[in-house]
mmCIF file of all heavy atoms in Angstrom:
data_model
loop_
_atom_site.group_PDB
_atom_site.id
_atom_site.type_symbol
_atom_site.label_atom_id
_atom_site.label_comp_id
_atom_site.label_asym_id
_atom_site.label_seq_id
_atom_site.Cartn_x
_atom_site.Cartn_y
_atom_site.Cartn_z
ATOM 1 N N LYS A 1 0.846 -1.192 0.000
ATOM 2 C CA LYS A 1 0.000 0.000 0.000
ATOM 3 C C LYS A 1 0.879 1.240 0.000
ATOM 4 O O LYS A 1 2.052 1.191 0.364
ATOM 5 C CB LYS A 1 -0.935 0.022 1.208
ATOM 6 C CG LYS A 1 -0.221 0.166 2.530
ATOM 7 C CD LYS A 1 -1.193 0.168 3.691
ATOM 8 C CE LYS A 1 -0.407 0.230 4.997
ATOM 9 N NZ LYS A 1 -1.251 0.258 6.152
ATOM 10 N N ILE A 2 0.275 2.330 -0.430
ATOM 11 C CA ILE A 2 0.908 3.640 -0.371
ATOM 12 C C ILE A 2 -0.001 4.528 0.463
ATOM 13 O O ILE A 2 -1.196 4.617 0.183
ATOM 14 C CB ILE A 2 1.101 4.253 -1.773
ATOM 15 C CG1 ILE A 2 1.957 3.344 -2.653
ATOM 16 C CG2 ILE A 2 1.706 5.647 -1.671
ATOM 17 C CD1 ILE A 2 2.004 3.770 -4.108
ATOM 18 N N GLU A 3 0.548 5.140 1.480
ATOM 19 C CA GLU A 3 -0.204 6.067 2.327
ATOM 20 C C GLU A 3 0.300 7.473 2.070
ATOM 21 O O GLU A 3 1.489 7.683 1.877
ATOM 22 C CB GLU A 3 0.011 5.748 3.812
ATOM 23 C CG GLU A 3 -0.676 4.521 4.291
ATOM 24 C CD GLU A 3 -0.540 4.337 5.797
ATOM 25 O OE1 GLU A 3 -0.466 5.335 6.534
ATOM 26 O OE2 GLU A 3 -0.487 3.178 6.210
ATOM 27 N N LEU A 4 -0.617 8.425 2.095
ATOM 28 C CA LEU A 4 -0.202 9.814 1.995
ATOM 29 C C LEU A 4 -1.124 10.716 2.799
ATOM 30 O O LEU A 4 -2.243 10.333 3.143
ATOM 31 C CB LEU A 4 -0.121 10.254 0.527
ATOM 32 C CG LEU A 4 -1.338 10.114 -0.376
ATOM 33 C CD1 LEU A 4 -2.296 11.276 -0.192
ATOM 34 C CD2 LEU A 4 -0.873 10.054 -1.817
ATOM 35 N N SER A 5 -0.610 11.880 3.097
ATOM 36 C CA SER A 5 -1.397 12.933 3.742
ATOM 37 C C SER A 5 -1.757 13.925 2.653
ATOM 38 O O SER A 5 -0.892 14.655 2.159
ATOM 39 C CB SER A 5 -0.570 13.642 4.827
ATOM 40 O OG SER A 5 -0.275 12.770 5.874
ATOM 41 N N ALA A 6 -3.000 13.935 2.255
ATOM 42 C CA ALA A 6 -3.444 14.797 1.157
ATOM 43 C C ALA A 6 -4.077 16.068 1.698
ATOM 44 O O ALA A 6 -4.888 16.015 2.615
ATOM 45 C CB ALA A 6 -4.467 14.056 0.301
ATOM 46 N N GLN A 7 -3.692 17.191 1.120
ATOM 47 C CA GLN A 7 -4.405 18.409 1.456
ATOM 48 C C GLN A 7 -5.850 18.213 1.021
ATOM 49 O O GLN A 7 -6.119 17.612 -0.026
ATOM 50 C CB GLN A 7 -3.781 19.616 0.767
ATOM 51 C CG GLN A 7 -2.419 19.956 1.339
ATOM 52 C CD GLN A 7 -1.844 21.219 0.723
ATOM 53 O OE1 GLN A 7 -2.524 21.971 0.028
ATOM 54 N NE2 GLN A 7 -0.575 21.460 0.988
ATOM 55 N N LYS A 8 -6.760 18.701 1.833
ATOM 56 C CA LYS A 8 -8.190 18.443 1.633
ATOM 57 C C LYS A 8 -8.652 18.782 0.213
ATOM 58 O O LYS A 8 -9.417 18.041 -0.383
ATOM 59 C CB LYS A 8 -8.999 19.217 2.663
ATOM 60 C CG LYS A 8 -10.473 18.925 2.613
ATOM 61 C CD LYS A 8 -11.222 19.696 3.671
ATOM 62 C CE LYS A 8 -12.713 19.477 3.538
ATOM 63 N NZ LYS A 8 -13.445 20.275 4.519
ATOM 64 N N TYR A 9 -8.148 19.860 -0.341
ATOM 65 C CA TYR A 9 -8.624 20.269 -1.658
ATOM 66 C C TYR A 9 -8.146 19.323 -2.770
ATOM 67 O O TYR A 9 -8.624 19.407 -3.906
ATOM 68 C CB TYR A 9 -8.242 21.723 -1.961
ATOM 69 C CG TYR A 9 -6.823 21.937 -2.442
ATOM 70 C CD1 TYR A 9 -6.556 22.013 -3.810
ATOM 71 C CD2 TYR A 9 -5.756 22.068 -1.564
ATOM 72 C CE1 TYR A 9 -5.269 22.218 -4.272
ATOM 73 C CE2 TYR A 9 -4.469 22.267 -2.019
ATOM 74 C CZ TYR A 9 -4.230 22.347 -3.375
ATOM 75 O OH TYR A 9 -2.953 22.535 -3.828
ATOM 76 N N LEU A 10 -7.233 18.396 -2.447
ATOM 77 C CA LEU A 10 -6.711 17.463 -3.443
ATOM 78 C C LEU A 10 -7.314 16.063 -3.346
ATOM 79 O O LEU A 10 -6.869 15.141 -4.034
ATOM 80 C CB LEU A 10 -5.182 17.374 -3.324
ATOM 81 C CG LEU A 10 -4.441 18.632 -3.780
ATOM 82 C CD1 LEU A 10 -2.980 18.558 -3.384
ATOM 83 C CD2 LEU A 10 -4.590 18.827 -5.279
ATOM 84 N N ILE A 11 -8.339 15.891 -2.527
ATOM 85 C CA ILE A 11 -8.966 14.574 -2.370
ATOM 86 C C ILE A 11 -9.431 14.036 -3.722
ATOM 87 O O ILE A 11 -9.179 12.880 -4.056
ATOM 88 C CB ILE A 11 -10.132 14.620 -1.365
ATOM 89 C CG1 ILE A 11 -9.598 14.883 0.048
ATOM 90 C CG2 ILE A 11 -10.946 13.329 -1.403
ATOM 91 C CD1 ILE A 11 -10.678 15.146 1.079
ATOM 92 N N LYS A 12 -10.081 14.852 -4.534
ATOM 93 C CA LYS A 12 -10.573 14.404 -5.846
ATOM 94 C C LYS A 12 -9.406 13.977 -6.740
ATOM 95 O O LYS A 12 -9.469 12.942 -7.413
ATOM 96 C CB LYS A 12 -11.383 15.511 -6.515
ATOM 97 C CG LYS A 12 -11.963 15.100 -7.853
ATOM 98 C CD LYS A 12 -12.807 16.205 -8.447
ATOM 99 C CE LYS A 12 -13.416 15.758 -9.752
ATOM 100 N NZ LYS A 12 -12.933 16.470 -10.909
ATOM 101 N N PHE A 13 -8.349 14.746 -6.743
ATOM 102 C CA PHE A 13 -7.161 14.436 -7.544
ATOM 103 C C PHE A 13 -6.632 13.041 -7.206
ATOM 104 O O PHE A 13 -6.425 12.205 -8.085
ATOM 105 C CB PHE A 13 -6.080 15.497 -7.304
ATOM 106 C CG PHE A 13 -4.736 15.165 -7.890
ATOM 107 C CD1 PHE A 13 -4.471 15.412 -9.231
ATOM 108 C CD2 PHE A 13 -3.734 14.617 -7.105
ATOM 109 C CE1 PHE A 13 -3.225 15.113 -9.775
ATOM 110 C CE2 PHE A 13 -2.486 14.318 -7.643
ATOM 111 C CZ PHE A 13 -2.235 14.563 -8.979
ATOM 112 N N TYR A 14 -6.417 12.782 -5.911
ATOM 113 C CA TYR A 14 -5.872 11.481 -5.502
ATOM 114 C C TYR A 14 -6.892 10.354 -5.691
ATOM 115 O O TYR A 14 -6.513 9.234 -6.019
ATOM 116 C CB TYR A 14 -5.376 11.537 -4.058
ATOM 117 C CG TYR A 14 -4.097 12.332 -3.925
ATOM 118 C CD1 TYR A 14 -4.067 13.546 -3.246
ATOM 119 C CD2 TYR A 14 -2.913 11.878 -4.492
ATOM 120 C CE1 TYR A 14 -2.892 14.275 -3.131
ATOM 121 C CE2 TYR A 14 -1.740 12.606 -4.387
ATOM 122 C CZ TYR A 14 -1.736 13.804 -3.710
ATOM 123 O OH TYR A 14 -0.577 14.518 -3.612
ATOM 124 N N SER A 15 -8.166 10.658 -5.510
ATOM 125 C CA SER A 15 -9.210 9.645 -5.726
ATOM 126 C C SER A 15 -9.226 9.175 -7.174
ATOM 127 O O SER A 15 -9.427 7.994 -7.456
ATOM 128 C CB SER A 15 -10.580 10.195 -5.344
ATOM 129 O OG SER A 15 -10.637 10.455 -3.964
ATOM 130 N N GLU A 16 -9.000 10.089 -8.103
ATOM 131 C CA GLU A 16 -8.979 9.745 -9.522
ATOM 132 C C GLU A 16 -7.839 8.786 -9.863
ATOM 133 O O GLU A 16 -7.914 8.052 -10.838
ATOM 134 C CB GLU A 16 -8.869 11.014 -10.384
ATOM 135 C CG GLU A 16 -10.132 11.845 -10.367
ATOM 136 C CD GLU A 16 -9.985 13.192 -11.059
ATOM 137 O OE1 GLU A 16 -8.843 13.553 -11.461
ATOM 138 O OE2 GLU A 16 -10.999 13.889 -11.193
ATOM 139 N N ILE A 17 -6.795 8.781 -9.043
ATOM 140 C CA ILE A 17 -5.655 7.887 -9.251
ATOM 141 C C ILE A 17 -5.887 6.549 -8.545
ATOM 142 O O ILE A 17 -5.194 5.590 -8.790
ATOM 143 C CB ILE A 17 -4.354 8.552 -8.748
ATOM 144 C CG1 ILE A 17 -4.096 9.854 -9.513
ATOM 145 C CG2 ILE A 17 -3.155 7.630 -8.887
ATOM 146 C CD1 ILE A 17 -2.976 10.696 -8.951
ATOM 147 N N GLY A 18 -6.887 6.496 -7.661
ATOM 148 C CA GLY A 18 -7.207 5.247 -6.985
ATOM 149 C C GLY A 18 -7.063 5.257 -5.480
ATOM 150 O O GLY A 18 -7.343 4.267 -4.817
ATOM 151 N N PHE A 19 -6.610 6.371 -4.914
ATOM 152 C CA PHE A 19 -6.474 6.465 -3.464
ATOM 153 C C PHE A 19 -7.852 6.546 -2.816
ATOM 154 O O PHE A 19 -8.786 7.113 -3.388
ATOM 155 C CB PHE A 19 -5.655 7.699 -3.071
ATOM 156 C CG PHE A 19 -4.173 7.543 -3.269
ATOM 157 C CD1 PHE A 19 -3.591 7.795 -4.498
ATOM 158 C CD2 PHE A 19 -3.361 7.147 -2.223
ATOM 159 C CE1 PHE A 19 -2.227 7.651 -4.694
ATOM 160 C CE2 PHE A 19 -1.997 7.000 -2.401
ATOM 161 C CZ PHE A 19 -1.429 7.249 -3.646
ATOM 162 N N LYS A 20 -7.964 5.986 -1.622
ATOM 163 C CA LYS A 20 -9.196 6.023 -0.831
ATOM 164 C C LYS A 20 -8.946 6.814 0.443
ATOM 165 O O LYS A 20 -7.937 6.613 1.124
ATOM 166 C CB LYS A 20 -9.662 4.612 -0.454
ATOM 167 C CG LYS A 20 -9.829 3.672 -1.624
ATOM 168 C CD LYS A 20 -11.012 4.026 -2.468
ATOM 169 C CE LYS A 20 -11.173 3.003 -3.587
ATOM 170 N NZ LYS A 20 -11.788 3.519 -4.752
ATOM 171 N N LYS A 21 -9.875 7.688 0.750
ATOM 172 C CA LYS A 21 -9.801 8.486 1.978
ATOM 173 C C LYS A 21 -10.101 7.590 3.174
ATOM 174 O O LYS A 21 -11.041 6.801 3.141
ATOM 175 C CB LYS A 21 -10.818 9.620 1.898
ATOM 176 C CG LYS A 21 -10.869 10.489 3.108
ATOM 177 C CD LYS A 21 -11.980 11.528 2.973
ATOM 178 C CE LYS A 21 -12.299 12.012 4.360
ATOM 179 N NZ LYS A 21 -13.601 12.544 4.516
ATOM 180 N N ILE A 22 -9.270 7.698 4.202
ATOM 181 C CA ILE A 22 -9.538 6.977 5.442
ATOM 182 C C ILE A 22 -9.389 7.950 6.605
ATOM 183 O O ILE A 22 -8.590 8.869 6.562
ATOM 184 C CB ILE A 22 -8.615 5.751 5.640
ATOM 185 C CG1 ILE A 22 -7.165 6.168 5.706
ATOM 186 C CG2 ILE A 22 -8.824 4.732 4.542
ATOM 187 C CD1 ILE A 22 -6.253 5.063 6.174
ATOM 188 N N GLY A 23 -10.194 7.764 7.598
ATOM 189 C CA GLY A 23 -10.091 8.610 8.782
ATOM 190 C C GLY A 23 -10.706 9.977 8.588
ATOM 191 O O GLY A 23 -11.339 10.282 7.577
ATOM 192 N N GLU A 24 -10.484 10.774 9.597
ATOM 193 C CA GLU A 24 -11.066 12.113 9.643
ATOM 194 C C GLU A 24 -10.047 13.162 9.209
ATOM 195 O O GLU A 24 -8.845 12.930 9.221
ATOM 196 C CB GLU A 24 -11.531 12.419 11.073
ATOM 197 C CG GLU A 24 -12.624 11.484 11.584
ATOM 198 C CD GLU A 24 -13.898 11.569 10.765
ATOM 199 O OE1 GLU A 24 -14.300 12.692 10.411
ATOM 200 O OE2 GLU A 24 -14.473 10.507 10.475
ATOM 201 N N GLU A 25 -10.561 14.321 8.902
ATOM 202 C CA GLU A 25 -9.731 15.462 8.548
ATOM 203 C C GLU A 25 -8.907 15.888 9.760
ATOM 204 O O GLU A 25 -9.361 15.806 10.898
ATOM 205 C CB GLU A 25 -10.653 16.604 8.112
ATOM 206 C CG GLU A 25 -9.960 17.851 7.669
ATOM 207 C CD GLU A 25 -10.943 18.935 7.254
ATOM 208 O OE1 GLU A 25 -11.904 18.640 6.518
ATOM 209 O OE2 GLU A 25 -10.759 20.075 7.702
ATOM 210 N N TYR A 26 -7.685 16.362 9.519
ATOM 211 C CA TYR A 26 -6.814 16.854 10.588
ATOM 212 C C TYR A 26 -5.982 18.010 10.039
ATOM 213 O O TYR A 26 -5.899 18.211 8.820
ATOM 214 C CB TYR A 26 -5.911 15.731 11.121
ATOM 215 C CG TYR A 26 -5.049 15.100 10.068
ATOM 216 C CD1 TYR A 26 -3.766 15.572 9.813
ATOM 217 C CD2 TYR A 26 -5.525 14.038 9.296
ATOM 218 C CE1 TYR A 26 -2.975 14.995 8.828
ATOM 219 C CE2 TYR A 26 -4.746 13.459 8.320
ATOM 220 C CZ TYR A 26 -3.471 13.935 8.093
ATOM 221 O OH TYR A 26 -2.702 13.369 7.115
ATOM 222 N N LEU A 27 -5.404 18.766 10.938
ATOM 223 C CA LEU A 27 -4.565 19.887 10.529
ATOM 224 C C LEU A 27 -3.098 19.469 10.525
ATOM 225 O O LEU A 27 -2.623 18.844 11.466
ATOM 226 C CB LEU A 27 -4.744 21.082 11.466
ATOM 227 C CG LEU A 27 -6.062 21.827 11.386
ATOM 228 C CD1 LEU A 27 -6.096 22.963 12.398
ATOM 229 C CD2 LEU A 27 -6.297 22.382 9.985
ATOM 230 N N GLU A 28 -2.429 19.815 9.456
ATOM 231 C CA GLU A 28 -0.988 19.630 9.343
ATOM 232 C C GLU A 28 -0.444 20.963 8.849
ATOM 233 O O GLU A 28 -0.847 21.436 7.781
ATOM 234 C CB GLU A 28 -0.677 18.507 8.356
ATOM 235 C CG GLU A 28 0.787 18.147 8.277
ATOM 236 C CD GLU A 28 1.027 16.944 7.379
ATOM 237 O OE1 GLU A 28 0.358 15.900 7.571
ATOM 238 O OE2 GLU A 28 1.877 17.057 6.487
ATOM 239 N N ASP A 29 0.402 21.593 9.641
ATOM 240 C CA ASP A 29 0.888 22.943 9.317
ATOM 241 C C ASP A 29 -0.267 23.920 9.111
ATOM 242 O O ASP A 29 -0.237 24.777 8.232
ATOM 243 C CB ASP A 29 1.791 22.920 8.078
ATOM 244 C CG ASP A 29 3.035 22.075 8.268
ATOM 245 O OD1 ASP A 29 3.555 22.039 9.401
ATOM 246 O OD2 ASP A 29 3.483 21.439 7.299
ATOM 247 N N ASN A 30 -1.326 23.744 9.919
ATOM 248 C CA ASN A 30 -2.532 24.578 9.854
ATOM 249 C C ASN A 30 -3.274 24.490 8.523
ATOM 250 O O ASN A 30 -4.008 25.395 8.142
ATOM 251 C CB ASN A 30 -2.222 26.037 10.196
ATOM 252 C CG ASN A 30 -2.002 26.229 11.670
ATOM 253 O OD1 ASN A 30 -2.640 25.566 12.491
ATOM 254 N ND2 ASN A 30 -1.103 27.122 12.034
ATOM 255 N N ILE A 31 -3.076 23.388 7.798
ATOM 256 C CA ILE A 31 -3.770 23.153 6.536
ATOM 257 C C ILE A 31 -4.578 21.867 6.693
ATOM 258 O O ILE A 31 -4.042 20.856 7.140
ATOM 259 C CB ILE A 31 -2.762 22.992 5.369
ATOM 260 C CG1 ILE A 31 -1.907 24.261 5.228
ATOM 261 C CG2 ILE A 31 -3.483 22.674 4.061
ATOM 262 C CD1 ILE A 31 -0.719 24.095 4.302
ATOM 263 N N PRO A 32 -5.879 21.883 6.337
ATOM 264 C CA PRO A 32 -6.687 20.652 6.440
ATOM 265 C C PRO A 32 -6.157 19.542 5.544
ATOM 266 O O PRO A 32 -5.897 19.764 4.360
ATOM 267 C CB PRO A 32 -8.080 21.078 5.992
ATOM 268 C CG PRO A 32 -8.096 22.564 6.069
ATOM 269 C CD PRO A 32 -6.677 23.012 5.866
ATOM 270 N N HIS A 33 -5.956 18.371 6.121
ATOM 271 C CA HIS A 33 -5.454 17.187 5.415
ATOM 272 C C HIS A 33 -6.342 15.995 5.727
ATOM 273 O O HIS A 33 -7.072 16.000 6.711
ATOM 274 C CB HIS A 33 -4.040 16.831 5.880
ATOM 275 C CG HIS A 33 -2.954 17.671 5.291
ATOM 276 N ND1 HIS A 33 -2.765 18.985 5.628
ATOM 277 C CD2 HIS A 33 -1.987 17.347 4.416
ATOM 278 C CE1 HIS A 33 -1.715 19.449 4.966
ATOM 279 N NE2 HIS A 33 -1.227 18.467 4.221
#
């Protein structure tokens, strides 16, 4: 598997490649991920 921390606005981008969102939103460097 490949895990990544995606900025919230990029969820669609990564989903189109096949990534699945897991868990809840969190802040990383004050940016929603």
Side-chain angles (χ1 to χ4, degrees):
K1 66 181 177 179
I2 301 171
E3 287 186 32
L4 56 82
S5 294
Q7 290 184 12
K8 185 179 176 183
Y9 81 96
L10 290 169
I11 292 172
K12 182 177 182 246
F13 170 82
Y14 287 113
S15 295
E16 290 172 354
I17 300 171
F19 283 85
K20 306 289 183 208
K21 178 184 160 204
I22 61 168
E24 298 298 318
E25 182 180 314
Y26 58 92
L27 289 179
E28 186 175 309
D29 298 326
N30 285 325
I31 300 169
H33 281 71

